[in-house]
Amino acid sequence: MKSIVPYQLKDARRRGSLMPAIAFALLVVGAASALVMNKLWIEAAEVELQTAAEASALAAAGAYLSDDMLRPGFDADETVYKAKVRAAEVAYMNRVGTHRVELVVDGDDTDIVFGRRVPGGAGGETTFLLTNDNPTVVEVRTRRSREQGNPVTLFYPGVTGRATADAMTIVEAAFNNEIDHFAAAPARPIPALPLAILANDPTGKRLDTWSSMIEEKLGPDNYSYDEINHVVVEQPDGIPEVVLQSSPLKQDPLLSNVQLLDFNNDLHEDNINRQIRQGLTQDDLRLLNNRLPAQSPFEMTALGNVTTPVQLALESQIGQQRLCLLYNSAAPMTVPGWTTLQCEGVVAVRILKVLPADGESATVILQPTVMTTKTAVPAEFAHSPTTGLGTMATEASEPVLYQPNPYVYKLYISR
């Protein structure tokens, strides 16, 4: 006689046969989920390491590009070491997961190295040359590894068989001082003063020129700038100063070694003062097609008088790093005090003192400085360095031969 199995018993047997398959499926899904989560976790750690490395590389380059480069007896090795320490300090401010980012500064296996990119790699690639002598790049490595004792902890090690993983990023920051021009952006004016300094005197009679007082180091050295407390101190710092003397009203403006420039301001005090405080905008450079040439010569209208309101605006910029132009020759115009300048070259300066004088004139004491600006366009990135400078520019008859600017650098992440 055939036995009849109750329906409930059949259902129980069916469920019992599915349990191993369900358990196996859950194991597979769990392992796959763990692998996906681990991959995302490692990628997140790499992104955080990348952020820390970029900040550290920029900090290292910024610390190296300091006024120490202008002082006698500049020690490149010491400056590089200080820059490495600064990079490590910035890295430590960042976290990857719950761990702070620590960089190795000393030893042969340092996480921060300075050098240059030189031709010679396969397929036109460059190779990294490790050197502290005139470097142009800084490379920063950030990592979390088992070797350092701080690997990335993974999820579900019992499922994947891996409890930790390594993560590492390498970033390079480049700094370039072969500048073609400067360009303003809508929210980023060029940090330049509407000011030009007499570059040199071909006759050799004037000693109040940039060439004489700064490059030949014949200028006084009475002041220094305390970057920690942001004050000017009356003590030498090894960097010579240039003393600018404006012309009194109704006197020959060519006697001055400083001129206020007409960057679309019609030489009105209010417009000049705004440019002194805020920099040069796209509208200020409209006649130059938003290109402030760094090396190509061009003509500008100027004013040899520095009135009291302008003096006050200059005083507000004491200690700040700003760009200004150099001019080689000047000619008087029919308007009293106005001149036509042949400008050529850009330098970086720091105003130290503004001393009013009789006849609405002033003595402005400043010194060179080393600065970086995002508005700089290096020669290697410029498509047309000798054209598009507008009606106020003088077209160059020959290609520009770029000279490294010891005062101004473009700093950017290159790799």
Side-chain angles (χ1 to χ4, degrees):
M1 181 177 179
K2 186 177 181 180
S3 61
I4 299 175
V5 179
Y7 176 79
Q8 293 83 356
L9 183 57
K10 286 183 178 180
D11 188 57
R13 289 177 178 175
R14 188 178 299 114
R15 288 199 303 268
S17 64
L18 290 176
M19 289 301 293
I22 293 173
F24 180 75
L26 289 174
L27 180 62
V28 172
V29 171
S33 299
L35 291 174
V36 171
M37 292 180 66
N38 285 343
K39 185 175 185 300
L40 294 175
W41 189 245
I42 295 173
E43 289 179 351
E46 289 175 344
V47 169
E48 292 174 334
L49 287 172
Q50 176 88 9
T51 300
E54 290 181 357
S56 300
L58 293 174
Y64 174 80
L65 300 173
S66 66
D67 289 353
D68 289 340
M69 301 175 71
L70 304 178
R71 294 186 173 94
F74 169 66
D75 190 331
D77 293 333
E78 181 181 355
T79 305
V80 164
Y81 183 77
K82 291 179 180 178
K84 290 182 178 182
V85 171
R86 177 56 184 161
E89 293 173 348
V90 171
Y92 195 73
M93 299 177 187
N94 293 267
R95 291 180 182 270
V96 178
T98 58
H99 291 75
R100 292 191 179 274
V101 179
E102 298 185 23
L103 300 182
V104 177
V105 175
D106 300 300
D108 296 332
D109 192 26
T110 176
D111 289 325
I112 313 123
V113 292
F114 280 75
R116 293 195 298 269
R117 281 279 166 189
V118 297
E125 288 290 325
T126 59
T127 57
F128 184 86
L129 174 64
L130 180 66
T131 179
N132 293 343
D133 183 21
N134 295 321
T136 57
V137 293
V138 55
E139 184 178 274
V140 173
R141 174 183 59 185
T142 53
R143 50 183 171 160
R144 286 188 59 180
S145 64
R146 284 162 287 189
E147 178 185 355
Q148 287 187 306
N150 65 341
V152 179
T153 303
L154 301 179
F155 297 98
Y156 310 120
V159 176
T160 62
R162 295 178 63 195
T164 60
D166 297 336
M168 182 179 70
T169 61
I170 298 177
V171 166
E172 279 187 12
F175 36 99
N176 188 330
N177 65 344
E178 291 187 0
I179 309 301
D180 177 76
H181 67 276
F182 302 87
R188 184 187 296 159
I190 299 173
L193 299 169
L195 201 73
I197 301 171
L198 181 61
N200 53 62
D201 177 21
T203 67
K205 296 178 180 179
R206 298 188 64 162
L207 300 178
D208 58 347
T209 64
W210 180 271
S211 175
S212 176
M213 303 188 89
I214 300 302
E215 295 177 358
E216 297 178 21
K217 302 186 184 304
L218 299 180
D221 182 12
N222 298 323
Y223 299 94
S224 62
Y225 183 69
D226 184 344
E227 296 190 20
I228 297 177
N229 299 309
H230 305 290
V231 294
V232 176
V233 183
E234 292 194 31
Q235 66 180 32
D237 61 356
I239 303 176
E241 297 140 14
V242 57
V243 181
L244 306 180
Q245 181 65 58
S246 68
S247 297
L249 293 175
K250 300 181 180 180
Q251 292 195 20
D252 186 359
L254 299 185
L255 297 177
S256 172
N257 63 346
V258 58
Q259 303 280 332
L260 297 173
L261 299 172
D262 181 10
F263 283 112
N264 201 29
N265 57 36
D266 295 323
L267 296 176
H268 290 168
E269 288 179 345
D270 292 343
N271 295 331
I272 291 175
N273 293 346
R274 175 188 57 80
Q275 292 172 348
I276 290 174
R277 291 187 170 94
Q278 301 176 12
L280 303 179
T281 64
Q282 289 178 313
D283 187 61
D284 296 329
L285 296 168
R286 179 169 52 84
L287 297 179
L288 291 169
N289 291 338
N290 193 31
R291 293 162 67 97
L292 178 63
Q295 301 197 28
S296 302
F298 63 103
E299 285 188 353
M300 290 205 73
T301 304
L303 176 67
N305 309 125
V306 178
T307 60
T308 299
V310 176
Q311 295 173 29
L312 295 175
L314 291 172
E315 283 184 352
S316 71
Q317 298 304 303
I318 286 179
Q320 302 299 312
Q321 292 179 307
R322 302 295 294 272
L323 304 174
C324 78
L325 289 164
L326 300 177
Y327 71 95
N328 291 313
S329 62
M333 299 178 66
T334 55
V335 181
W338 287 31
T339 60
T340 299
L341 303 184
Q342 185 79 4
C343 296
E344 185 174 5
V346 175
V347 295
V349 300
R350 198 193 301 272
I351 298 176
L352 302 177
K353 206 82 171 177
V354 179
L355 303 171
D358 295 334
E360 289 288 292
S361 64
T363 299
V364 181
I365 302 173
L366 50 80
Q367 65 179 187
T369 185
V370 176
M371 67 177 290
T372 64
T373 172
K374 294 180 179 179
T375 64
V377 180
E380 62 178 311
F381 298 151
H383 298 293
S384 182
T386 62
T387 60
L389 297 180
T391 58
M392 299 175 66
T394 299
E395 295 288 344
S397 58
E398 298 180 358
V400 178
L401 298 177
Y402 293 99
Q403 296 294 328
N405 192 317
Y407 312 108
V408 188
Y409 289 80
K410 172 78 170 185
L411 173 59
Y412 57 95
I413 298 296
S414 55
R415 290 175 180 263

